[in-house]
Amino acid sequence: MASILNQTQELQEASKVLGHVRCENFFIFPGENTLSDGLRGVLYFLGLAYCFIGLSAITARFFKSMENVVKHSRKVVAIDPITKAEIITYKKVWNFTIADISLLAFGTSFPQISLATIDAIRNIGERYAGGLGPGTLVGSAAFDLFPIHAVCVVVPKAGELKKISDLGVWLVELVWSFWAYIWLYIILEVWSPNVITLVEALLTVLQYGLLLVHAYAQDKRWPYLSLPMSRGDRPEEWVPEEIDTSKDDNDNDVHDVYSDAAQEAVESGSRNIVDIFSIHSANNDTGITYHTVADTPPDSATKKGKAKNSSVFDIWKHQFVDAITLETLESKKVDSIYLRIANSFWQLLLAPWKLLFAFVPPCNIAHGWIAFIFSLLFISGVAFVVTRFTDLISCVTGINPYVIAFTALASGTSWPDLVASKIAAERQLTADSAIANITCSNSVNIYVGIGVPWLINTVYNYFAYREPLYIENAKGLSFSLLIFFATSVGCIVVLVLRRLIIGAELGGPRLWAWLTSAYFMMLWVVFVVLSSLKVSGVI
C-alpha cells in the first residue's frame, strides 16, 4: 500500500518484546521507546490535538490575509457624455462566486490539501499511492457535509430563517461536488480498476478549472451555460451602508473600502475574527464593493487611528505583543474569576502557536499576498508534523491509517471549514456562503486535494517506471465513496424539504432545527463506522 503502511509494518517487525509487537519509531528523542505503547499513544494523540489547535490559529491569520486580497476594488474613470464630467467608480477585482470557490474553499481546505501533498511527496518512488491523503479528504468531505451542516442549521436564532438566495450557483456547485465523487469512483473501479493513470490524474485536476468557469457563467447568467434561474432578492438590510469614496485622494489602481482596523484584529477571540463572508456586493451590476468586519472591542476606535498612522513594523511588533498577552481588555471585564483563569490558561496554551505565527508579515503588505503565502507555508509545516504524529499513532496502536484519516485527521483538518461556515451562518442574512463553503470545499478536496498529489506520483511513475500509480486498498476507498454518496443524498433531500416546507435551509423552529442537526450527525456516524469497518477488513 502506501509508504506509511510499509513503514509501519517494517517498524512493527523490527522489535518484539515478550511476544508483543513494539514500535521502535520516535518523534524527537530515542528515549520515547522506553515508554509503554499505551502512554506513547496518549502522548501522540495529545500532540496531534495540539497541532489541530495550531492549524486553527494559523487559519485565522490566513483568513485575514485572504480577506485583504479579496477586499480591493480597481478604480475606473469614465467621462459623462453629456456633462463631460469625470466619473470615478470602483470595480470589484474579485467576483464573489469565484472568491468563494477559489480563495475561501481552497483556504479552508488547505490543511487537508497540504497533508495529502506532503504524503504524496514522501511517497515518490513508491509504486503504490499513499492512503493518508485520500482517506483524510474523503473523511473531510463527510465531516463538511454532515457535522458542519448540523452546526449551521442550529446557529440562527429561534424562528430565524436563512435561505440560499442564488439557487442557480448553489446547484452548479452541488452538481460538481457530487460529480467529483462519482468521478473518483469511476477511475478507481470502472475506467482502470485499482490504478490511477497519468491521464486520469490530469483530468481530475483540470475539472477544477471547469468548475470555476461553469460557476462564473451561472453567476453572470451566460446563455447556454447557465441554468435559467433568477437570483433571489436579498433583504435590504443585508446591504452595508455605502462608503463615501469621494474623500479618497489616493490615485492608486487599487482602492481599500474598509478601515485598517482589520489589521489590528486579535485572533484570540471570535469577536475579533475578520468577517471574510461579507465580500459579496449588494448589487452585482454596480461594480461597487461593500465590506463589513466583525464587532471590535470598545477601544477599537483608538486602535483604528493608531493603525492608520503606524508603520508596517509597528503593526508587526503588535503581533508579537499580542502573542504573549494572556489577558485582554475584554477578559478583564469578566466578573467570574474562574472564567478569567480558564481564559488565561487557554491563552497560555495558544501562546507558542501565536508567537510562531507572529512571524507572518502584516496583512497590509502587498494587499495581503505576502501574508497569504507565508500562512500557506506555515500550514504546510504544521501538516507535516501532523503526518509524523499519524505515522506514530498507527505504529504504536496498530490502528489502520485509513481509520485515523476518516476520523481524527478529517475532523481536525476540517475545523477551519466548521469555523468558516459557522461565522457565515451567524453573520449573513442568507445561507449562501455557509453552504457554498461546504459544497465548494468538497469539490476542492477531490479536484485539487486528491488530483494534485496523484498527479505528482503518476508523473514520476510514468517517467521512472512507465507504470501507473497503484491503489492497494482501492476497494475500501471505493466502498467509502459509495457510503458517502448514499448518505449525502439523504442530507441534500432534507435540505430541499426544509426549503419547501419551512422556507429556508438554515434556522426555523428550534425543535425542527435540532432534529435536523441530530439527523445529520447520525449520517456522519453511519459513514465513519461503515467506512472504518470496511478498511479494517471487518466487513
Side-chain angles (χ1 to χ4, degrees):
M1 186 183 168
S3 59
I4 297 174
L5 289 178
N6 294 334
Q7 293 171 5
T8 301
Q9 291 170 356
E10 291 173 0
L11 290 168
Q12 289 176 341
E13 293 172 358
S15 176
K16 293 187 178 181
V17 179
L18 297 178
H20 175 68
V21 177
R22 187 169 182 80
C23 178
E24 294 295 334
N25 203 1
F26 57 88
F27 182 68
I28 299 177
F29 306 110
E32 297 172 20
N33 296 329
T34 62
L35 303 176
S36 66
D37 285 347
L39 179 58
R40 291 176 66 192
V42 171
L43 293 177
Y44 294 149
F45 267 115
L46 290 177
L48 185 64
Y50 193 61
C51 285
F52 292 152
I53 295 175
L55 281 176
S56 297
I58 187 57
T59 303
R61 191 170 292 275
F62 175 86
F63 282 161
K64 286 177 60 180
S65 64
M66 182 180 66
E67 186 270 348
N68 243 29
V69 172
V70 174
K71 72 183 178 64
H72 296 297
S73 297
R74 188 172 297 279
K75 179 188 289 187
V76 178
V77 180
I79 304 298
D80 190 292
I82 299 176
T83 64
K84 305 300 181 183
E86 190 178 73
I87 302 175
I88 299 177
T89 57
Y90 290 93
K91 185 74 174 179
K92 290 188 304 178
V93 175
W94 281 91
N95 172 271
F96 77 81
T97 297
I98 297 300
D100 277 346
I101 300 175
S102 57
L103 294 180
L104 178 57
F106 182 81
T108 56
S109 298
F110 195 77
Q112 301 98 299
I113 295 172
S114 180
L115 190 148
T117 304
I118 291 172
D119 187 37
I121 294 174
R122 296 192 314 166
N123 200 51
I124 286 180
E126 299 284 344
R127 287 178 168 81
Y128 286 90
L132 185 62
T136 301
L137 289 162
V138 174
S140 175
F143 188 90
D144 287 350
L145 193 62
F146 305 129
I148 295 182
H149 268 124
V151 171
C152 289
V153 77
V154 297
V155 162
K157 298 177 182 178
E160 185 179 11
L161 297 175
K162 295 189 177 184
K163 64 181 181 180
I164 300 172
S165 63
D166 195 338
L167 283 174
V169 171
W170 177 69
L171 286 176
V172 168
E173 295 167 348
L174 183 65
V175 168
W176 277 97
S177 176
F178 269 88
W179 166 249
Y181 294 91
I182 296 174
W183 166 255
L184 191 59
Y185 182 84
I186 290 174
I187 62 177
L188 284 174
E189 294 292 336
V190 180
W191 190 345
S192 55
N194 302 325
V195 300
I196 300 297
T197 64
L198 178 58
V199 173
E200 291 171 341
L202 186 60
L203 288 177
T204 302
V205 176
L206 291 178
Q207 287 182 75
Y208 179 63
L210 295 178
L211 164 61
L212 291 174
V213 173
H214 193 185
Y216 184 78
Q218 180 63 41
D219 180 65
K220 295 300 183 181
R221 298 305 192 266
W222 288 355
Y224 308 111
L225 293 178
S226 61
L227 299 174
M229 301 179 66
S230 60
R231 182 178 288 107
D233 295 330
R234 287 169 177 157
E236 191 67 26
E237 63 272 16
W238 185 83
V239 182
E241 182 180 354
E242 183 174 348
I243 297 175
D244 184 7
T245 58
S246 62
K247 297 180 182 180
D248 184 87
D249 297 327
N250 189 358
D251 290 331
N252 292 335
D253 288 338
V254 179
H255 173 68
D256 294 341
V257 293
Y258 79 113
S259 76
D260 291 335
Q263 311 303 332
E264 295 293 316
V266 182
E267 289 84 4
S268 59
S270 60
R271 288 182 52 128
N272 297 331
I273 297 177
V274 176
D275 186 359
I276 62 172
F277 305 97
S278 299
I279 60 177
H280 298 188
S281 68
N283 188 334
N284 288 326
D285 299 326
T286 63
I288 300 177
T289 299
Y290 300 94
H291 197 92
T292 59
V293 296
D295 294 335
T296 52
D299 60 338
S300 61
T302 304
K303 287 186 176 183
K304 280 193 279 186
K306 291 181 179 179
K308 291 182 178 180
N309 298 321
S310 296
S311 66
V312 170
F313 292 103
D314 291 332
I315 299 176
W316 209 336
K317 175 184 176 181
H318 176 80
Q319 293 180 179
F320 286 93
V321 173
D322 173 64
I324 60 176
T325 302
L326 298 183
E327 268 201 312
T328 62
L329 294 177
E330 291 271 329
S331 62
K332 290 179 180 179
K333 296 178 182 179
V334 177
D335 294 331
S336 174
I337 185 64
Y338 300 106
L339 290 179
R340 291 182 60 180
I341 293 175
N343 181 71
S344 297
F345 176 76
W346 177 248
Q347 294 302 322
L348 183 64
L349 194 64
L350 285 175
W353 288 121
K354 293 173 65 177
L355 189 61
L356 176 63
F357 300 147
F359 286 96
V360 176
C363 297
N364 61 341
I365 301 177
H367 312 307
W369 280 107
I370 302 298
F372 185 90
I373 295 172
F374 269 77
S375 298
L376 293 183
L377 293 176
F378 274 104
I379 290 174
S380 298
V382 178
F384 175 76
V385 178
V386 167
T387 60
R388 291 286 299 124
F389 275 124
T390 305
D391 287 349
L392 290 168
I393 291 172
S394 178
C395 179
V396 170
T397 63
I399 299 176
N400 190 302
Y402 269 111
V403 177
I404 299 176
F406 285 141
T407 54
L409 283 183
S411 303
T413 56
S414 295
W415 192 255
D417 290 307
L418 175 61
V419 174
S421 292
K422 179 178 179 293
I423 293 174
E426 285 176 335
R427 299 180 185 174
Q428 279 199 329
L429 297 182
T430 66
D432 292 74
S433 284
I435 295 180
N437 178 52
I438 298 171
T439 53
C440 293
S441 292
N442 283 350
S443 298
V444 170
N445 283 345
I446 297 300
Y447 300 132
V448 180
I450 292 182
V452 170
W454 279 355
L455 184 61
I456 293 173
N457 289 142
T458 53
V459 167
Y460 183 89
N461 284 13
Y462 178 79
F463 288 103
Y465 311 121
R466 296 294 177 180
E467 293 182 1
L469 182 66
Y470 295 94
I471 310 295
E472 184 168 331
N473 200 7
K475 292 294 182 181
L477 188 59
S478 300
F479 179 82
S480 298
L481 289 172
L482 291 176
I483 296 299
F484 172 77
F485 191 82
T487 51
S488 60
V489 169
C491 175
I492 300 303
V493 166
V494 169
L495 289 177
V496 173
L497 290 176
R498 284 179 57 86
R499 179 65 177 252
L500 295 175
I501 299 174
I502 301 178
E505 290 80 11
L506 305 181
R510 215 60 185 157
L511 176 61
W512 289 109
W514 280 106
L515 287 176
T516 304
S517 179
Y519 172 72
F520 289 157
M521 290 303 299
M522 182 196 68
L523 292 178
W524 182 63
V525 171
V526 169
F527 167 82
V528 170
V529 171
L530 292 181
S531 298
S532 299
L533 292 176
K534 179 63 177 181
V535 297
S536 299
V538 177
I539 58 176

